[in-house]
Structure formats: structure tokens, C-alpha cells
Amino acid sequence: MKKFTTDSGIEIKRVYAPSSTSPEEPGKFPFTRGIHEEMYRSKLWTMRQYAGFSTAEESNKRYHYLLSQGVSGLSVAFDLPTQIGYDSDHALAEGEVGKVGVAIDSLEDMEILFSGIKLEDVSTSMTINSTAYILLALYIALAKKQGADLKKISGTIQNDILKEYAARGTYIYPPKPSMKIITDIFEYCNSEVPKWNTISISGYHIREAGSTAVQEIAFTLSNGKSYCQAAQAKGLDINKFGQRLSFFFNAHNNFFEEIAKFRAARRMWAKMTQQMGATDARAQMLRFHTQTGGSTLTAQQPKNNISRVTLQALAAVMGGTQSLHTNGFDEALSLPTEEAAKIALRTQQIIGYESGVTDTVDPFAGSYFMEELTNEIEAAAWKYIDTIDEMGGSVAAIENSYMQNEIARSSYSYQQDIERKEKIVVGVNQFVEQESKPTGLLHVDDSIRKIQSEKLAALRNKRNNEAVKISIQRIQDATRNNQNIMPHVIDAIEQYATLGEIADSLREIYGEYQG
């Protein structure tokens, strides 16, 4: 008889009998049923659209368009040179400038990126990790230029370097110095930018690299535990910094497993933070952003992706997400076109305003299947976390390649299932059609690097280079003296030091991680 399982390999029974359910009320520890008592009855999730490409000018146009279409928060994508700390005119930036996100080299670019947008009025999420401290400094410097109250600006930097070593690869410095920079950000924002979410601990890229749903939450929560422990070692109070932690998860096609995953993750984080000393409920709550699964999108029959994204977005909403990005149907082929971005946003709006699924809190609570699946996912995830703890935590597990190897094994097994047609992907290994070459795709040409390089040359000619040199030296002095670097990085940004110059100042001290 055929055995039915979730994508994580958890067996699905033919029928389910009553099992241990979640008796607590929504908004109460351990938050299985949601972190707010009323959830979407009082406020819908933040509808974001991840955008950024080419130059700051072009991305700014897209942001104004998205705001006009009803997004309630901006989400910024950066190009690879920006992500790994190279200015656009660096030799290693060739061929990558503006390709997978916007190129940001200096405060000048940031001023253009948010031209006509008051930072006090929007919540901005920035997907950036190894250079998160620089991008946050750029955002703060721009807010100051706008005359904004830093106590009021809100948003998130991803700032999750551990998953870069485990799954994605856009790291610069070795793990331990990177952890020091992250705790500097925690400490600075705690006093100066209190509404800012200082880290978005990401399972998204772990899942994109090929993990299962169980591995996604296990490795992500383990990383979160390591960040908390590092902050506590620096003397920070988990009841304070814990309130500014957020998470970033993936939503894939296995509908019920994804919902159960989100419910299990909330419950696990509540228990984890309680064990680490959190007594304030707001520090025990797992708040998360969700993005639909990029790796599930197919280049074949791309409009099928609209259905996939709808299913995934619905799972995220049923699972209680606080924020959501829906992918464009054409993203397996190129950066999303305006049409694809609009359809993706309208998908969220239809779910939110027309479907009725937001009218009750945790619609699947009490379902025999959902409650048992939540329990099984939690139990399987704890096994991974216990193994990581025995190794000495996430940093040690990454240095020993444990997470990387587990993800690789899952990815390989999943691909084998597709090739053997044990797992059907519509339009790829079943229901295949002869297709014509797609047209109207959005492409970024290599001229963007020339534009950015010319802007950099002009900037270096007109700024006070002596003041830049002094500000860079102060960053290095603070680093060597184990002081918080954030005030010095912001000062360097305000002197129009470039992203690459600041990143290089720490490369000279920490070196680069070789993996």
C-alpha cells in the first residue's frame, strides 16, 4: 500500500482521531494559535513586495508604484556587490551590478532610493546580512537628514549571518567577528532606534537551499538561540532585545505541513526564550515575515506559478504570519515585471479582503490532523536542535558543516524524487507542453555598472576625503578596542564614505571567511 508523507517525511495517516490540541487562547503562551488575541480580525498582515533592481532611481520608481497600489511596507532587494561589501566599481563587481537588486554605494544612492518617501511613514525591510550594519547606518543617516525622529522609524534588517554560512554564502567576515557586529547592532538600536527589528532570523534561504520544513524551523530557531546567547553574554536583557527579534520563513506547496510548521515554530520559540530567561510575553512571541517559495517557481508554464503562490500565501495566512511577500509568476525567468508584481500583490489583497479566512483566529485549531501534525513537526525539530546543542550550538554546527550536509542530503533526495516522478511538478515532469520563448521579461544590462562607477568617481571628487579617512580610522579603532562600532559607521556614512570602504576597513582587521 502506498505510504503518504509530508515533504519532511512525516507519515500522513488515513484518518485522525482526537489528539492533544492547543487549549490555550490566541495571544497567550506558548502562542501556538497566534501572537495576538484577535489576529487578522483587528489588523491584516503587512503586505510587502520585495523590490530592488538596477539603479536607485529605477527602484525608487517601483517603490512609488507599489505604494500607490496599496502595499503597506517596502522590502528592499540589494545586488550582490552590495550584499558582500564591494562598491560598484570594484573589479569583483563586474557583471553583477544592479542584477538581483539595487546597487547602493553611498548615502547619495540611499537619498535617491527613498526620494519622495518619508521614512517615518513607512516600514522598511532590508534583505541584507554581512553588510547589514552599513545599510542600517545608511538608513539612519538618511532618516536624520529627513529630520525624522529615530524613535519612530520602523523596519527590519535581515542581519542573519549564521544562515549565510549554512545555506546562502554572502558572508564576508568569520563567524565570531560577525556575531560581535550583530550584537553591536542590538545594543545600539536598543537605545537609539527602539522600534527597529534588529534581526530577521531567516529560514527562508535555508529552505531555498533544499531543506525540509522541519529542518527549516529547527536550524532557524537554533540560530535564533545563538543570537540570544551572544546578546546575553554582552549583558543585554532578553526581555528588551527579544522584543525586536523577528523571523523570516518560507511557504512551500505542502499546504497543511506549512501551516503546522508555523504553529510549531511559535510554540518552540516561546519555550526556548522562556528557558533563556524571558519573562515578558512580547519577548517570547515569534513574529515572522513570510515569502512564498522562490525555488518552487518553474520556468516552464510560468503562469502556473500564480496558483502556486496563491496556495503558499494562503498557508502563510492560515499559519498566522505578520508580514507577507508574494512572488511574481515570472521570477524563475527574470526579475518580476510590473504586471507580475501587481498580480502578486492582488493575490494577497484577495485573500485578505475577499476570502473570509481572516474572520476567525487560527481556523485549523482543533483539527485532529493539524494538531497532531503540529506536534510531530515540533518533535522532529527538537531532535535536530538537541543534536546542535550537543555540538556546542549553531556556530559549532556550521563550522563542522552539520547543517550544510543535512540540507544537501534533503535537497538531493527531493531532486531524486522529482526525477523518478515520485513527486510531480506540474509542467516539469508531468503535463508538459511545447512552449514558445517568453517575451516582455525585465532585464538589467551591464551599463548600470558604468553609471554607478561614474557616480562614485564624482562623489570621491567632491566629498571631504580627509574627513572620510578619519571616520574610517575611528571604525577600526573601535573594532580593535572591542567597542560598539555603530556610531562610528554612521559618522563615516554621513561623511559619504562608501559601502566598500567601510566593509574593507573591517576586512583589514577580521579578514575574510574562507568556508
Side-chain angles (χ1 to χ4, degrees), residues 72 118-123:
S72 45
K118 288 184 66 178
L119 299 192
E120 272 192 26
D121 295 343
V122 295
S123 170

Side-chain angles (χ1 to χ4, degrees), residues 30-47:
F31 311 106
T32 312
R33 301 186 64 188
I35 63 170
H36 301 301
E37 290 183 9
E38 294 296 309
M39 285 302 289
Y40 306 132
R41 288 162 65 95
S42 59
K43 182 184 177 183
L44 294 182
W45 62 93
T46 302
M47 297 184 187

Side-chain angles (χ1 to χ4, degrees), residues 53 62 302-303 328-341 343 436-444:
F53 60 94
R62 177 64 64 90
K303 289 190 177 177
F329 68 83
D330 55 2
E331 286 189 58
L333 296 161
S334 71
L335 292 166
T337 58
E338 202 168 272
E339 179 196 20
I343 291 171
S436 57
K437 189 176 180 180
T439 59
L441 300 177
L442 178 62
H443 291 293
V444 177

